[in-house]
Amino acid sequence: MRRNALTKPPRKGILSLGTESIMKKVLWLALITFGFMLFSSCMQVALRASPSLFPNFAATLFEECDPELAKASIPPNLKLMEGLLKNDPENKQILTTLSMGFGGYALLFVEPEDAERASLFYLRALDYGIRALGDKGAPLRNREAGPEPMKAALKTMDQHDLEALFWTTLSWNAWINLNLDKPSALAQLSVSEACLKRVLELDEHFFYSAPHILMGASLAARPPLLGGSPEKARIHFEQALLQNHGNFYLAQVYFAKYYAVRVQDKELFERTLTEVIRGNPARLKEVCLINRVMQTRAQELAKQAEDLFL
């Protein structure tokens, strides 16, 4: 028996086919979006559940005794961490590690070759450091408000903020030292010094007495009109040298470069650099990378003696 045409099921029209196709695309888009959100959420949980991951990265970096290996491996690792940061933009550990990484990379490998590029890295490190300080660090970003709100914010910072504040301060001071010919840098001197003083108050021997080294360099590099003082600078350098028994070569190299040159003490300059050149960088294995780089820096600096002293 032939089925009547009226009893045949209706064909799907063009509109129905188009609607079905659109619905499938919407469904797939929703699934992909949900999967991405789930992945991002899982990534955040994983990152926050591994608090030792980033300090271990820093420790591994500074223990590396081969500067060329470190120089080649730091940039891709920093880009990897920037990728991780996109999954957890407020992760204090990642932000602090990025501040340390960009600041340390600029200090050890970029500044001697390209001051302008180093300045950009220091600013990048400064931004990550301020972000790591969260709400407490927000006033440091608003530099047009003047120094008082920033100094008030520094008083609220404690031991939990020390690491982020230290790397923020290191990058800030390094950027200023490279740009002392710019009014914008001079305008930030008082705040960067206030940051350094707060770090000294919280822990003067943090990272092998680096706060004393930075303060010594800052006081020796600046003229008296900008708050410089060679006498005070020497006190800070001697504190760092005493605390580390001369095993952290950043102190000696900066002591020679900033203080000895400033007071034109050539004998002190040569003696201090000779100690570094003849030393064993691995004696303080936790910072072998810094010591190896400073040993090379000492050799280069020693060759400039005739130009640096009248």
Side-chain angles (χ1 to χ4, degrees), residues 126-132 137-144 150 172:
L126 173 61
D127 179 67
Y128 282 129
I130 291 175
R131 286 173 60 185
L140 300 180
R141 193 179 300 280
N142 185 17
R143 288 155 206 167
E144 295 180 357
M150 300 187 195
W172 207 340

Side-chain angles (χ1 to χ4, degrees), residues 56-265:
N56 286 343
F57 166 78
T60 302
L61 169 64
F62 289 127
E63 288 176 359
E64 176 56 56
C65 278
D66 187 326
E68 290 304 313
L69 177 59
K71 184 178 181 180
S73 62
I74 291 174
N77 277 288
L78 290 176
K79 291 307 298 178
L80 173 62
M81 275 187 283
E82 286 188 319
L84 293 174
L85 185 65
K86 289 184 178 295
N87 292 289
D88 195 2
E90 297 181 4
N91 189 304
K92 183 173 181 176
Q93 283 288 352
I94 301 178
L95 289 165
T96 301
T97 304
L98 282 168
S99 181
M100 177 275 296
F102 278 105
Y105 181 68
L107 177 70
L108 296 175
F109 299 114
V110 183
E111 185 176 324
E113 301 173 359
D114 191 337
E116 186 175 348
R117 184 166 176 251
S119 290
L120 295 175
F121 280 136
Y122 285 134
L123 289 177
R124 200 162 171 178
L126 173 61
D127 179 67
Y128 282 129
I130 291 175
R131 286 173 60 185
L133 291 168
D135 292 339
K136 293 181 181 179
L140 300 180
R141 193 179 300 280
N142 185 17
R143 288 155 206 167
E144 295 180 357
E148 294 311 314
M150 300 187 195
K151 292 178 180 178
L154 288 171
K155 293 179 181 178
T156 68
M157 297 183 190
D158 53 29
Q159 291 292 331
H160 298 290
D161 309 302
L162 176 59
E163 186 179 8
L165 179 60
F166 170 76
W167 292 112
T168 299
T169 301
L170 180 145
S171 299
W172 207 340
N173 277 268
W175 178 79
I176 289 173
N177 285 341
L178 288 180
N179 295 275
L180 285 173
D181 58 332
K182 298 177 182 177
S184 59
L186 295 177
Q188 298 176 43
L189 262 175
S190 63
V191 178
S192 67
E193 185 174 353
C195 289
L196 189 47
K197 287 179 178 178
R198 185 56 180 157
V199 172
L200 282 164
E201 290 171 356
L202 291 172
D203 185 356
E204 62 180 317
H205 299 305
F206 181 78
F207 200 72
Y208 309 98
S209 297
H212 278 297
I213 300 171
L214 296 181
M215 183 62 84
S218 179
L219 290 169
R222 286 181 281 155
L225 286 175
L226 295 176
S229 171
E231 296 79 14
K232 292 180 180 178
R234 179 159 192 153
I235 293 172
H236 284 286
F237 280 123
E238 289 177 343
Q239 282 285 335
L241 290 166
L242 180 65
Q243 182 68 21
N244 296 306
H245 308 288
N247 291 324
F248 187 38
Y249 297 163
L250 183 71
Q252 284 100 314
V253 171
Y254 275 32
F255 188 34
K257 178 180 179 180
Y258 292 102
Y259 175 79
V261 172
R262 175 67 184 277
V263 299
Q264 288 293 284
D265 189 335

